[in-house]
Every structure is written in C-alpha cells, then in structure tokens.
Amino acid sequence: MQYHHDGYIGRDPRIRTAQGTGIDRTAELPETMDVLIVGAGPAGIVQAAQLTEYPDVHTRIIERRPDRLVAGRADGLFPRSCETFQAFEFYEEIAHEAAHMREMSFWGPKPENPSEIARGARADDPPAYVSEFPILTVNQARVIDYFARRAENGPARININYGFEFLDLTVHEDGEYPVEVKLLDEHGQPRTVHAKYVAGCDGARSKVRDCIDVDVVTDPADQAWAVMDILANTDFPDFRTRSGIASDKDGSILLIPREGGFLTRFYVSLDAPTPENRERVRATTAEQAIERANRILSPYTVDVKEVTWFSIYEVRHSVAQSFDDVAAQKNPALNPHVFIAGDACHTHSAKAGQGMNVSIQDGWNLAWKLGQVLEGRSDESLLQTYNDERQDVAQKLIDYD
C-alpha cells in the first residue's frame, strides 16, 4: 500500500482515476472537441500526455497510420528529454531498455596518412555539469508508447484514433468551435469535425502547415545520408561508443550503438544531391552504403551480417517562419487557433540528433498553455508565447546543425 494524493491505494498509482472528459469517454471521434492533435509522433503524443492532466479539456489525437508505430527513424534521446520522461514518470522504465551513452569519440584523418582515420579525442557527453542524465538510444516507437500509456492512463483517458487522414481546415471568425477540419475516417469516408484549437504535428510535409499559409525558409544546400541499423563484426575500437568519424575524401559516419547490445545505427554521408545526381543518390543501396562506410573507416573494416533497417535520408535545413496561424501578421489583438509543432516546424541533418528531442519540447510547451487557457486559468494571449519561444529555439537548432 502506498500513500498518494488521494490516500492509501493498493494498485498501480500511474493508473489515475478518470475525471471530466475521461469519464465514459467514447472511442469514436466526436463532432466537436476542444483540442484536435493531428499526428501521434513525438510532438503530438507528448501533448496528449500533458493534456490528460486537464480532464475538463476535451482532447482528441488522430493518426494516419492504421496502428501504432513499430520502428521509427529517431533514436537518440538527449538529457533534456530524459528530464521530461522523469516528469512524466517513466524515465526509469525507458532507461532500463535503452543503450546509455556518456561519452563520444571523434575520429579524423591521420596527419601523417590522411587515407586512414585515427581517434582525435574522446569527450564526456554530456558533460557532468549539464545534467545528471545520460544520452540514451531507444526506438522512437517506444518513446511514443510510453507517452501514449501516460495519456491513456491519465484522468482524461486520451487514446489515439488511428486511420484518420487530415485533408483540410478552415478557421472561422466566430463560433464556439471555430476550426472546421475535414478528414477521411478509418473507412476512407469523409468526416468534418470542429475544434477550438488544432495542433498540426504531421511531419515535414505538413498539410496543416499548408492550410495556414506558413512560409518555410529552406537552405538550398541539402544533404543526403544512408541510414541503417546493422548487425556486424568489426575491428573498429569504438563500435559500442557513440562516434563521429570524418574521412579525408569519402565523407563521414555518425555511429550510434542501439539498445539491446547488438545493433548499431550508421548514418553514412552520401554525395550532396543536385538536379543531375539526385536520382542516383536516392537509389543508393545498402551494399553501396556499406562499401562507402568501409572506405571511411579505413584502416578498420565492418563486416555486416544483417541490415535490419535501411533508408536514404535526404534533408534540407528548413525553419517555418511562424508556428501558428496568426503570428506572421504581428497583431497582438489576434490569438491563434491553429499551431504546428515538430518536423512541421524544423528539419535538419541527422547529425544534429535533436529532431525528436526538440519536437517533444515543442509539444510540451504548447500543451500546458492550451490546458491553462481552456480551463480558464490563463488569458488566451498566453498562446501567442508558443510561437515566440519555440520559433527562436528552432532557428538556434538549425544554426547549431
């Protein structure tokens, strides 16, 4: 028996008593709601986990996929994310299944023989003064699972409505639910719902962003990476240490040990895509990426026994110039009703390792503000601070990358 806020309880204290909209909550997507979250990736699911603490706010989250994510691209979790997991009471669990990294090795060309690499430095990462938490590696799908469990077990009992595709939205000037949203439901049938606020967490090709005419500034100097999780034998000394490896002529590798103790994630840089070579770069095979990795690693070798996941990751640095539907107008009298978060706001190269981490903070920043406003604790103008705070962070992320 443990004593908690509501007294002595003999059950899992993380399964909270249903309150407000969590009582008799229907599984079907209703016609009206306070908050509609579009996309159940990291930026969206953390909002559900936060808004479950505001049970009088009717929150729904939809996802285009028919079921939960099995394997995601993002895998590196930085200390700030670990601090967030602790706040949501699942850090110990997710840390148990993750790979822990507390240092990073940096490799570059040998001065006396640039065709071979040598370790230049090994540094504490993160430094001890930054955080008590390490950097973790764990599948993005598991991060979503933990936040989703928190949302579903919280007072508002928020769960994901899978199979819904966002099509379009219109913000009307009046009405209790001014945002009209057009969807395709799980059966492919058109649906129209109405919300007070919509959060677009639907990725780099965000349809929500397109609907609110947000400008995106994109760096034309894009990059391409072969990304693969591999099971391999190797004589490279730092194969189970997070490593940045730069060769003299063949590009670079970001090496990240995966959870479980066997797999390793390789980000292998490819030729910079141009109109002339883009098709060839996109057609790079796993075998070609492995061959390039071995050239980068010389004099060491990696003998790949199995590739469990492979993709070509092409990205340009991009930042949305506003994170809501009114920020660009710079009119303090206007309060936003539609927001974007995560990859809908910022994209960058894999080496920055901050995509999922920053997306989680985007969603968390927005969600508590929505909860405060909708429960009448804060003025609606509080919602203007989301754009002011997170757009600045996104720009700093791109500059860092």
Side-chain angles (χ1 to χ4, degrees):
M1 299 287 284
Q2 298 183 39
Y3 190 85
H4 291 266
H5 181 272
D6 297 320
Y8 289 105
I9 58 174
R11 55 172 173 78
D12 187 342
R14 292 166 297 187
I15 301 176
R16 317 268 288 285
T17 302
Q19 300 177 35
T21 60
I23 300 173
D24 299 324
R25 181 184 174 96
T26 60
E28 295 77 21
L29 190 71
E31 298 301 314
T32 61
M33 63 214 70
D34 293 327
V35 179
L36 176 65
I37 304 167
V38 180
I45 198 64
V46 69
Q47 293 182 57
Q50 177 63 66
L51 285 166
T52 197
E53 304 296 332
Y54 295 87
D56 292 331
V57 175
H58 187 178
T59 302
R60 294 282 172 160
I61 179 169
I62 61 173
E63 170 56 50
R64 185 176 61 180
R65 293 189 308 271
D67 205 343
R68 66 173 288 272
L69 182 68
V70 176
R73 285 184 173 182
D75 59 356
L77 294 162
F78 281 67
R80 179 58 180 151
S81 293
C82 294
E83 293 169 2
T84 305
F85 300 159
Q86 186 185 59
F88 285 94
E89 299 182 324
F90 61 77
Y91 170 72
E92 287 78 11
E93 292 175 274
I94 199 168
H96 181 72
E97 63 184 81
H100 292 230
M101 288 167 283
R102 294 190 178 273
E103 60 183 3
M104 184 168 183
S105 294
F106 297 90
W107 291 72
K110 287 181 180 179
E112 68 276 14
N113 183 7
S115 65
E116 296 184 351
I117 60 170
R119 186 192 296 123
R122 178 179 284 169
D124 291 342
D125 190 21
Y129 61 81
V130 170
S131 174
E132 66 188 275
F133 295 98
I135 294 172
L136 302 180
T137 304
V138 69
N139 194 305
Q140 175 184 336
R142 295 296 291 141
V143 175
I144 293 171
D145 285 345
Y146 278 105
F147 278 121
R149 186 186 68 181
R150 174 79 179 194
E152 189 169 1
N153 288 338
R157 295 291 192 269
I158 300 171
N159 49 21
I160 302 168
N161 286 103
Y162 288 104
F164 281 80
E165 182 176 357
F166 174 88
L167 298 178
D168 195 8
L169 65 74
T170 303
V171 182
H172 299 286
E173 293 184 2
D174 52 17
E176 184 179 4
Y177 300 94
V179 188
E180 178 183 351
V181 184
K182 296 187 182 300
L183 309 167
L184 291 179
D185 68 14
E186 67 268 45
H187 307 295
Q189 299 300 310
R191 280 283 309 275
T192 299
V193 300
H194 296 81
K196 294 179 181 178
Y197 300 100
V198 171
C201 310
D202 50 341
R205 297 180 178 86
S206 172
K207 291 183 180 179
V208 175
R209 183 185 63 209
D210 292 343
C211 290
I212 58 175
D213 297 324
V214 169
D215 291 331
V216 179
V217 173
T218 300
D219 183 346
D222 52 353
Q223 305 172 30
W225 301 82
V227 189
M228 51 188 174
D229 287 334
I230 60 174
L231 183 68
N233 290 326
T234 182
D235 57 354
F236 180 65
D238 288 337
F239 201 63
R240 295 303 296 173
T241 301
R242 193 163 65 102
S243 301
I245 307 158
S247 70
D248 184 33
K249 297 178 180 178
D250 292 300
S252 58
I253 293 172
L254 177 63
L255 182 158
I256 303 175
R258 295 302 308 258
E259 64 276 25
F262 293 96
L263 290 182
T264 301
R265 167 74 54 93
F266 264 31
Y267 290 94
V268 183
S269 65
L270 303 177
D271 295 338
T274 65
E276 293 74 27
N277 72 359
R278 177 165 277 107
E279 185 175 344
R280 175 181 61 79
V281 171
R282 288 177 175 174
T284 300
T285 64
E287 291 73 20
Q288 290 171 325
I290 292 166
E291 181 182 350
R292 190 181 190 106
N294 272 292
R295 294 201 304 270
I296 295 169
L297 287 170
S298 177
Y300 307 103
T301 61
V302 57
D303 178 15
V304 177
K305 300 299 184 182
E306 183 178 353
V307 178
T308 65
W309 181 70
F310 176 79
S311 181
I312 301 299
Y313 181 78
E314 183 181 342
V315 67
R316 298 178 180 182
H317 299 138
S318 65
V319 185
Q321 296 305 284
S322 55
F323 284 17
D324 64 47
D325 59 327
V326 301
Q329 300 179 48
K330 301 186 183 303
N331 183 347
L334 297 176
N335 291 311
H337 286 273
V338 182
F339 308 85
I340 54 174
D343 285 353
C345 302
H346 42 75
T347 59
H348 51 83
S349 77
K351 276 190 173 180
Q354 289 287 333
M356 175 169 58
N357 297 271
V358 175
S359 295
I360 289 171
Q361 300 308 317
D362 287 346
W364 199 10
N365 182 293
L366 174 59
W368 74 261
K369 293 173 180 176
L370 288 169
Q372 292 293 105
V373 168
L374 285 163
E375 287 202 343
R377 302 179 187 182
S378 299
D379 186 79
E380 193 177 9
S381 60
L382 174 67
L383 299 176
Q384 297 176 14
T385 66
Y386 169 69
N387 173 81
D388 296 340
E389 294 169 2
R390 299 311 298 176
Q391 209 279 338
D392 181 61
V393 169
Q395 187 58 59
K396 288 178 179 176
L397 167 62
I398 300 305
D399 295 342
Y400 164 72
D401 186 26

